[in-house]
Amino acid sequence: MSRNVKEDFQNIAALISPKAKLISADILPGGYSSDVYILNLVEGSLKKKVVLRSEGSPRAENRISTEYHLIYCLKGSNLPLPEAIHIDVSLKYFPKPFMVMSFIDGKSFEPDELDISWMEKVSNLLNDIRSIEISSLPKLPIRIDPLDRLLDYLPDEKEWRKVREYLKSIGSSIFIGEYKFLHGDFWPGNILWKNDEIIGLIDWEYAAIGDPMSDIAVASLELRYKYGAKGAELFQTLCSNYINIDNKRLYLWLIYVSASTLRYIHEWRLPKERQALMIREAKAAIHESFSFLQKG
């Protein structure tokens, strides 16, 4: 890259506030699909932090401009969101389209042991998301069919032959219930905590509207990586306190989420041990979901 990245950040600081000066720009680890930086700024005697997040490569389902507009539209909701400060898609100030948000001084964490109180807060947050009135949102993808592209995601190996045959046989799986707002990437890494309370929910690049079972499936698989099948089942039980769990659809979405993970995981810049764990658990989730579906 020939351009001066430090100069880029200083120019971005000036966009946010003409008198702001850049102290430092620190990249945040763990950005699997995009680059995320904390910009430390000073304006007179006031110091503040903002977050710059670039559009992912490969690009996520929503453009960064859609994500920015979504956060802006949700400003008056009860969701713990950062403030949308600036959006730029010109490539004049940074090599990729980017947005700037306020900094939330929290941390993501996962307790070593299953913790119902922690899980309850997470499931309640998911309920808050699905309770948002979708008519107030910008145009988002529609996510209603777990069979959409699923056979493309599922590995084409003998191990998955029976799963493929079953999926081809079940007919339509399009959701016909009430469409709900979906985060799309709801997992502990996107939830920020402080003093045992949730204070932030980030990364809306896969937000959509449609079948709420898809969000529960995403979270279930992510929790499975840490806590095994029991952790995923506990989360689903907690979600059943506020939504009727359609087990058939949930298992189909679990197969979809797990298969798409197997399809794209090598693009996510993960440590080898984490990648191996996720592949193992995603495969197990497919086999177990298929077994439940066969039993009817």
Side-chain angles (χ1 to χ4, degrees):
M1 186 186 302
S2 59
R3 62 196 296 165
N4 187 322
V5 176
K6 185 176 181 180
E7 184 177 329
D8 284 343
F9 287 137
Q10 178 57 63
N11 290 335
I12 291 168
L15 282 176
I16 298 168
S17 175
K19 296 181 179 180
K21 293 185 178 180
L22 178 74
I23 300 173
S24 64
D26 304 316
I27 192 165
L28 285 178
Y32 302 146
S33 59
S34 63
D35 295 324
V36 184
Y37 298 86
I38 293 181
L39 305 187
N40 294 285
L41 309 177
V42 62
E43 185 173 358
S45 60
L46 179 64
K47 292 182 179 180
K48 68 175 181 179
K49 297 180 179 181
V50 297
V51 175
L52 181 149
R53 192 159 79 79
S54 72
E55 190 160 271
S57 180
R59 182 167 60 82
E61 197 165 1
N62 290 312
R63 301 300 299 256
I64 198 80
S65 54
T66 300
E67 185 178 358
Y68 176 87
H69 187 39
L70 175 62
I71 293 173
Y72 184 84
C73 288
L74 291 170
K75 184 177 181 180
S77 73
N78 64 338
L79 297 179
L81 303 178
E83 177 189 355
I85 297 174
H86 185 77
I87 178 71
D88 189 278
V89 298
S90 69
L91 306 186
K92 179 180 178 181
Y93 300 96
F94 201 70
K96 301 177 185 178
F98 69 90
M99 68 175 174
V100 179
M101 304 167 285
S102 61
F103 173 75
I104 298 177
D105 190 14
K107 295 182 179 180
S108 60
F109 80 101
E110 301 170 70
D112 292 332
E113 303 294 334
L114 281 178
D115 183 336
I116 285 186
S117 65
W118 178 77
M119 283 274 205
E120 283 180 332
K121 291 174 182 177
V122 173
S123 67
N124 289 339
L125 177 59
L126 187 56
N127 186 39
D128 289 340
I129 296 170
R130 65 178 285 276
S131 300
I132 294 292
E133 174 55 55
I134 61 175
S135 64
S136 64
L137 303 177
K139 185 177 181 180
L140 295 171
I142 304 298
R143 192 167 298 136
I144 55 175
D145 187 0
L147 292 186
D148 183 30
R149 300 185 66 187
L150 176 51
L151 294 178
D152 294 332
Y153 295 151
L154 198 65
D156 190 17
E157 299 167 0
K158 184 177 180 180
E159 177 183 2
W160 309 106
R161 186 174 300 165
K162 290 185 177 180
V163 181
R164 283 181 169 276
E165 290 173 355
Y166 173 82
L167 294 173
K168 289 178 181 179
S169 73
I170 62 176
S172 175
S173 62
I174 295 176
F175 180 61
I176 58 174
E178 183 181 359
Y179 288 10
K180 296 294 183 179
F181 181 38
L182 311 173
H183 181 276
D185 193 18
F186 190 79
W187 70 292
N190 285 335
I191 300 172
L192 302 177
W193 298 76
K194 190 172 185 177
N195 299 326
D196 297 325
E197 297 296 332
I198 294 174
I199 64 168
L201 180 60
I202 57 176
D203 288 4
W204 293 86
E205 57 190 346
Y206 290 97
I209 59 173
D211 184 355
M213 291 301 108
S214 65
D215 256 0
I216 294 176
V218 169
S220 295
L221 181 61
E222 290 288 348
L223 289 166
R224 182 185 179 113
Y225 298 146
K226 178 73 175 182
Y227 305 110
K230 287 185 178 180
E233 291 168 5
L234 174 59
F235 180 74
Q236 293 161 21
T237 299
L238 293 170
C239 289
S240 70
N241 291 328
Y242 60 78
I243 187 172
N244 181 36
I245 301 292
D246 183 331
N247 285 319
K248 181 177 180 180
R249 295 196 65 81
L250 178 59
Y251 295 139
L252 285 173
W253 279 114
L254 277 167
I255 294 175
Y256 175 93
V257 172
S258 301
S260 63
T261 295
L262 297 178
R263 168 65 178 82
Y264 292 109
I265 192 169
H266 298 288
E267 300 176 5
W268 294 344
R269 300 179 292 180
L270 295 167
K272 289 184 178 179
E273 289 185 4
R274 173 71 175 176
Q275 185 180 96
L277 168 68
M278 292 174 66
I279 290 173
R280 182 177 69 248
E281 294 299 332
K283 288 182 175 181
I286 294 174
H287 285 302
E288 290 171 16
S289 296
F290 175 52
S291 178
F292 284 122
L293 287 167
Q294 282 186 307
K295 293 175 183 177

